[in-house]
């Protein structure tokens, strides 16, 4: 069972992060948090990892409606962006 949506976007990693951010903004979402997993793992564990960022996106109207329905379960508004090796 898949519990996520997947989309492949061409371009450099930083360019794709900008495209995702812009697309979310067009739909009324803002980025509240950005977790750079690659940098965090390097700093905390001294290991190399591929580009991987988690964007905390929020549309206040949708978030409020979702929280009115259920405020103890899955929280709205996360996107995970990572880079796969291309041939």
């Amino acid at each position: 069972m898949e519990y996520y949506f997947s989309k492949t976007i061409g371009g450099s990693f930083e360019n794709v992060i900008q495209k995702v951010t812009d697309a979310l903004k067009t739909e009324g979402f803002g980025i509240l948090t950005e977790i750079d997993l690659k940098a965090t793992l390097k700093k905390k564990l001294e290991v190399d990892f591929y580009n991987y960022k988690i964007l905390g996106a929020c549309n206040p109207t949708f978030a409020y409606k979702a929280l009115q329905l259920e405020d103890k379960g899955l929280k709205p508004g996360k996107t995970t962006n990572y880079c796969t090796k291309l041939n």
Side-chain angles (χ1 to χ4, degrees):
M1 178 176 88
E2 291 185 355
Y3 56 92
Y4 59 90
F5 298 101
S6 178
K7 174 90 173 161
T8 300
I9 303 171
S12 70
F13 186 73
E14 290 305 321
N15 183 262
V16 169
I17 293 293
Q18 189 60 54
K19 286 180 183 178
V20 169
T21 301
D22 292 345
L24 288 167
K25 185 176 181 180
T26 320
E27 297 299 323
F29 289 82
I31 303 300
L32 298 179
T33 60
E34 183 175 313
I35 301 168
D36 186 338
L37 205 56
K38 179 180 181 176
T40 301
L41 292 174
K42 184 67 172 178
K43 180 179 178 181
K44 301 287 185 179
L45 302 177
E46 297 181 19
V47 297
D48 292 319
F49 201 69
Y50 55 88
N51 287 325
Y52 196 114
K53 286 189 180 180
I54 301 170
L55 303 177
C58 180
N59 177 308
T61 303
F62 293 157
Y64 180 66
K65 287 179 182 179
L67 291 170
Q68 284 181 313
L69 296 172
E70 175 61 59
D71 68 353
K72 296 174 183 69
L74 185 65
K75 302 299 180 208
K78 293 285 185 216
T79 69
T80 303
N81 303 275
Y82 59 92
C83 182
T84 57
K85 293 181 180 178
L86 304 175
N87 293 333

